[in-house]
Amino acid sequence: MGDRFQVIVDLDADQADAGRLARRVVERLMAGDVVLAERTTCVLGQPWGHPPGPHWERAVTDDRDGEPWDGLAVHTRCTGFISGADMPGAALCPRCGAFALLGDETWQRFGTAMRTWYDTGTATVDCPACATAVAVPDWAWDEAPLAFGCPGFEFWNRPDLTDAFRARPAELLDGHRTAYVRGKL
């Protein structure tokens, strides 16, 4: 059966703004009774999360016969989100559209940049095709989506989020680009 997750990730914020932006989104979710203000041990792998509120079904496509979901984990540090156990086979350059096949050498460059990004919030990888330095969060991925950003809003064991619900955080994140990652463990 496994545990399912869905994440809405801000691709443009930095850690200095992540807390403020996360609070804004969570406050709106609390105001709509989608999540509760209290924090409990309701999410997998995190010490604290926001449990579902009395109107949690407003966020989902199907309420699974009224069964609420586990909770919401909010990430305010630079975090990489992956859809599951599989890693992508290629990265897509947003500048030229070329695929960078992720062999050992290329993965080493991405791995080094990803570690730098986690530590500093800023890192680039040069596109092998156009030689443009591309920020880690800007790369697109085939096969298994990855998203790098902060804040990230990770919903656990709930039905699919509606398109309208997924669009709301973007409005509250100062117009930043967002990514949607979903998967199962």
Side-chain angles (χ1 to χ4, degrees):
M1 187 160 151
D3 290 294
R4 295 180 61 222
F5 59 90
Q6 299 170 78
V7 187
I8 299 169
V9 183
D10 185 323
L11 301 174
D12 296 328
D14 58 27
Q15 281 191 224
D17 288 331
R20 174 185 60 84
L21 294 170
R23 278 188 300 282
R24 183 186 299 165
V25 171
V26 171
E27 286 170 1
R28 180 69 58 92
L29 295 176
M30 288 185 304
D33 290 330
V34 174
V35 300
L36 298 176
E38 69 184 82
R39 293 178 43 201
T40 66
T41 57
C42 62
V43 293
L44 185 66
Q46 299 295 320
W48 300 106
H50 295 276
H55 294 294
W56 62 270
E57 78 284 349
R58 292 177 179 167
V60 299
T61 57
D62 177 15
D63 69 6
R64 290 192 315 205
D65 300 322
E67 292 294 321
W69 40 281
D70 287 350
L72 165 65
V74 179
H75 301 269
T76 56
R77 299 197 62 198
C78 290
T79 305
F81 299 93
I82 183 168
S83 65
D86 295 330
M87 294 302 288
L92 176 66
C93 176
R95 306 299 186 262
C96 72
F99 278 100
L101 296 179
L102 298 174
D104 290 341
E105 183 181 322
T106 307
W107 257 124
Q108 283 182 329
R109 286 188 307 181
F110 272 95
T112 299
M114 289 173 188
R115 281 187 294 281
T116 301
W117 182 83
Y118 286 131
D119 293 340
T120 67
T122 304
T124 62
V125 177
D126 290 344
C127 173
C130 69
T132 302
V134 177
V136 168
D138 292 348
W139 285 91
W141 309 91
D142 76 338
E143 299 169 14
L146 300 171
F148 295 88
C150 62
F153 305 92
E154 187 175 45
F155 298 89
W156 280 93
N157 291 321
R158 68 183 304 154
D160 291 338
L161 299 172
T162 67
D163 291 340
F165 180 81
R166 289 185 358 222
R168 282 186 212 130
E171 297 167 4
L172 300 170
L173 296 171
D174 294 342
H176 294 170
R177 297 173 301 137
T178 60
Y180 174 64
V181 177
R182 56 189 261 175
K184 185 177 179 181
L185 299 177

